[in-house]
Amino acid sequence: MLNTQNVVLSMTAGLPTQFPKDELPQIALSGRSNVGKSSLINTVLGRKNFARVSSAPGKTITINFYNIDKKIYLVDLPGYGYAKRTAEEQKKFSGLTDTYLRRNTPGLIVQLVDLKAGATADDRMMFDFMNSTGIPYIIAATKCDKLNKTERNAHLASLSEDPLLNPPHAVKKIDIIPFSSLNGEGKAELLSVISALAEK
């Protein structure tokens, strides 16, 4: 059983040389800036302010490695799609994230998509990247509490029908987990996914 209270931020890496070198499995969290990654981490771990929300959204260009119960890393990738990044910052962001995904190859990526906003062009580029590399992934549809039932069903249907989430070679559709940091919906499902990889 995974003890989510036994968690430490073991590394904030701004360079690939700082990535952990042990053999613990890794689950990476990917998504655009302001999609709710910090809130998801805090909710899943049952901690109020463990992962702090940046005061300058999109400016953080580091990868945070959270060691859970000495069994698995929850890896917080920097948010993408932030329009105010300089060309130099964008190059650093792309290089760091790309190097992580290709060198460390996480066992799973939890791709966060704002359910109300829907998948952005940047999100769909990530879908395409994950499809092409074969890295397993699921979707956490965040902020689902901001929609009424009719809107929620329509947005979930639209997301699930995205052709990139149903690649021709895939055995099945990509799993989509509606998530809310406000009421905790989706927490149990994500914990189950994390625990399953940690116990492999």
Side-chain angles (χ1 to χ4, degrees):
M1 191 71 179
L2 197 64
N3 179 10
T4 56
Q5 293 305 299
N6 182 21
V7 56
V8 294
L9 174 58
S10 63
M11 176 57 65
T12 294
L15 298 168
T17 53
Q18 296 173 315
F19 297 163
K21 296 176 174 61
D22 55 42
E23 298 300 317
L24 290 183
Q26 300 182 12
I27 288 184
L29 303 177
S30 167
R32 66 174 179 79
S33 299
N34 291 336
V35 74
K37 281 194 285 98
S38 295
S39 297
L40 182 144
I41 292 169
N42 289 331
T43 300
V44 168
L45 296 180
R47 310 283 281 272
K48 203 164 189 180
N49 294 303
F50 193 71
R52 296 192 176 277
V53 179
S54 173
S55 58
K59 299 296 283 185
T60 304
I61 310 178
T62 56
I63 297 177
N64 294 327
F65 292 82
Y66 297 95
N67 185 317
I68 306 175
D69 205 21
K70 299 180 180 177
K71 293 180 180 177
I72 191 168
Y73 285 110
L74 194 59
V75 184
D76 182 13
L77 301 177
Y80 54 73
Y82 186 66
K84 293 183 181 178
R85 276 204 183 107
T86 65
E88 185 178 340
E89 287 171 335
Q90 186 61 40
K91 184 178 179 182
K92 182 180 177 184
F93 160 79
S94 300
L96 187 67
T97 302
D98 189 67
T99 300
Y100 167 76
L101 291 172
R102 294 184 186 280
R103 181 186 296 179
N104 283 44
T105 313
L108 180 76
I109 294 176
V110 178
Q111 175 67 32
L112 280 70
V113 174
D114 183 327
L115 185 58
K116 186 175 182 179
T120 65
D122 288 318
D123 291 331
R124 301 189 81 250
M125 281 179 65
M126 271 302 297
F127 298 165
D128 192 45
F129 171 80
M130 292 182 292
N131 291 340
S132 66
T133 58
I135 300 174
Y137 68 100
I138 61 173
I139 305 295
T142 63
K143 307 180 184 180
C144 65
D145 54 272
K146 296 186 181 297
L147 299 167
N148 63 38
K149 188 174 181 180
T150 302
E151 292 170 334
R152 172 191 167 113
N153 289 341
H155 285 240
L156 280 172
S158 175
L159 186 59
S160 68
E161 289 162 9
D162 190 307
L164 288 174
L165 297 184
N166 304 279
H169 62 275
V171 177
K172 63 183 183 68
K173 280 186 167 186
I174 301 299
D175 289 334
I176 298 174
I177 299 175
F179 182 83
S180 167
S181 58
L182 190 67
N183 61 31
E185 181 178 357
K187 174 181 176 178
E189 289 88 341
L190 287 173
L191 270 175
S192 177
V193 168
I194 295 167
S195 296
L197 190 59
E199 300 299 335
K200 272 189 177 181

